[in-house]
Amino acid sequence: MMIRSLPIAGRTLADPVDPSLDLEEEIARLKKDRNAIVLAHYYQDSEIQDIADFIGDSLQLAQAAAKTNADVICFAGVHFMAETAKILNPNRVVVVPDLEAGCSLASGAPADKVAAWKARHPGSILVSYINCSADVKALSDFIVTSSNAEKIVARIPSETTVLFAPDKNLGQYLNKKLGRSMILWQGTCIVHDTFSERKIEGLKLRHPKALLLAHPECEDVVLRMADYVGSTTGIINYATKSDKTEFLVATEPGILHQLAKAAPNKTFVPAPPEANCACNECPHMRKNTLEKVYLSLLNLEPRLEMNEALRNAARVPIDRMLALS
Ligand code: 13P
Ligand code: SF4
């Protein structure tokens, strides 16, 4: 199989990748040839994290996308993240390893239903978690991520009626923390909703010195047990700076790769799901593979495309967030 010598236009996405290729080397070559960067979320497979130019949480990835001078952005994350990169970079090519990599929060908040919800609350402000479609972003007054939501919501006058979509767990966490009564869309993340209170209790007994670090997309029952609640970057920073050496981690286990690098002498135990399954791994994030990253850079497909009107409307609340972050 002489894939390397095939003209790019002659390939189809279904072509197999020559197993003898050194994908890391090929990706490095393509990044240089195409003036491309790879942005990766912490929930990607470790081999994707290792070839990325930048790894971060949702806010940092949006900030990196806003700053780049690359001609091509390969977004190793999920669809809403790549959409955000495209909204911020209309003139750059944004490719995604797998266009089907979605998000239960985004798919659980269809724009027509969110628009109808908003219409039932005239005079309200819609704050949307970045894990939503571009259409929902276009309806929103503010976009927030798990690392800036508290700061941004705190700035909204307390007498304002605030609708918060789509994550009810993050919304409830913010309501409690800030003493607010935002009206919550009832969406959840299929990954963070699976952690088992019972099994975490068991782990705490077996690791009595361990601190529980949890993402705010987790259920309230898990957040109440946590010693620290924060975004993926927040969790990494907290564990790195802490004088403690053992941690239970209630978020997608892809983060363990960077935790181990940042704090090699500390122990990280992933929080288990209730069922006997690997359902604490995000099935959307894990659709991406190193092969698909390589193919997306080789073919410059699949591309993220969006019409200008939608892009412009969705950009307004994203720019507000970036200005406040
Ligand atoms: P952050 O990386 O922004 O904390 O988000 C976690 C997540 O679930 C992304 O889909
Ligand atoms: Fe969406 Fe949850 Fe997967 Fe993040 S981990 S992309 S919130 S389904």
Side-chain angles (χ1 to χ4, degrees):
M1 234 180 332
M2 286 298 294
I3 288 192
R4 220 188 301 198
S5 63
L6 278 174
I8 289 162
R11 285 184 46 85
T12 70
L13 292 180
D15 284 345
V17 173
D18 179 349
S20 70
L21 276 184
D22 181 333
L23 288 179
E24 282 87 355
E25 215 172 82
E26 290 299 314
I27 288 170
R29 181 181 62 78
L30 285 166
K31 284 201 289 191
K32 209 161 159 233
D33 288 356
R34 305 217 180 283
N35 186 26
I37 53 164
V38 176
L39 303 181
H41 189 267
Y42 294 118
Y43 299 165
Q44 293 295 283
D45 285 346
S46 52
E47 55 183 14
I48 296 180
Q49 296 187 34
D50 288 344
I51 56 86
D53 298 279
F54 185 83
I55 313 165
D57 67 12
S58 309
L59 176 63
Q60 292 172 318
L61 289 168
Q63 287 168 326
K67 268 201 284 206
T68 188
N69 290 320
D71 295 319
V72 175
I73 300 171
C74 171
F75 210 114
V78 290
H79 193 268
F80 75 81
M81 295 179 171
E83 263 186 348
T84 306
K86 185 65 187 175
I87 291 163
L88 293 166
N89 290 282
N91 300 320
R92 299 187 206 284
V93 173
V94 177
V95 293
V96 288
D98 192 323
L99 255 187
E100 301 294 310
C103 169
S104 65
L105 281 168
S107 60
D112 57 338
K113 298 219 163 58
V114 175
W117 186 52
K118 200 177 162 193
R120 289 199 296 276
H121 297 89
S124 62
I125 278 191
L126 175 60
V127 177
S128 296
Y129 188 33
I130 197 163
N131 300 36
C132 64
S133 67
D135 298 278
V136 169
K137 288 184 174 76
L139 295 168
S140 306
D141 297 285
F142 289 96
I143 296 300
V144 298
T145 74
S146 51
S147 57
N148 60 21
E150 198 177 320
K151 183 172 159 194
I152 292 176
V153 171
R155 290 176 69 115
I156 302 173
S158 52
E159 60 279 9
T160 309
T161 303
V162 181
L163 306 179
F164 186 86
D167 188 0
K168 69 169 184 185
N169 291 337
L170 174 60
Q172 191 183 356
Y173 170 74
L174 293 168
N175 273 348
K176 273 188 167 181
K177 193 98 201 266
L178 295 168
R180 305 288 296 231
S181 41
M182 296 189 295
I183 301 167
L184 309 180
W185 185 267
Q186 296 297 302
T188 55
C189 159
I190 45 167
V191 174
H192 291 87
D193 234 31
T194 65
F195 295 117
S196 159
E197 178 193 7
R198 181 180 61 85
K199 290 188 184 172
I200 292 174
E201 294 281 16
L203 276 178
K204 276 181 162 248
L205 289 175
R206 290 204 297 285
H207 302 267
K209 291 196 177 138
L211 298 185
L212 175 65
L213 314 177
H215 194 280
E217 288 173 17
C218 293
E219 288 181 295
D220 182 55
V221 67
V222 172
L223 297 181
R224 273 190 273 129
M225 297 160 77
D227 299 285
Y228 172 78
V229 176
S231 75
T232 47
T233 296
I235 288 174
I236 293 172
N237 290 343
Y238 185 90
T240 311
K241 288 186 194 134
S242 168
D243 55 5
K244 299 284 189 286
T245 56
E246 243 191 316
F247 303 90
L248 312 178
V249 184
T251 190
E252 216 270 8
I255 196 174
L256 299 180
H257 187 54
Q258 294 306 320
L259 280 169
K261 282 189 178 186
N265 299 320
K266 298 188 178 183
T267 304
F268 299 100
V269 181
E274 185 54 49
N276 277 334
C277 59
C279 32
N280 56 344
E281 283 189 4
C282 174
H284 304 291
M285 289 276 182
R286 302 301 180 128
K287 277 198 158 78
N288 297 329
T289 61
L290 202 58
E291 286 194 354
K292 290 181 192 172
V293 171
Y294 160 71
L295 288 173
S296 68
L297 286 167
L298 179 68
N299 298 308
L300 295 184
E301 295 284 349
R303 280 186 205 196
L304 216 296
E305 304 287 3
M306 216 183 298
N307 78 56
E308 193 184 343
L310 174 60
R311 245 182 16 233
N312 289 341
R315 183 163 184 149
V316 176
I318 295 174
D319 278 345
R320 279 190 197 128
M321 170 188 81
L322 292 175
L324 292 170
S325 298

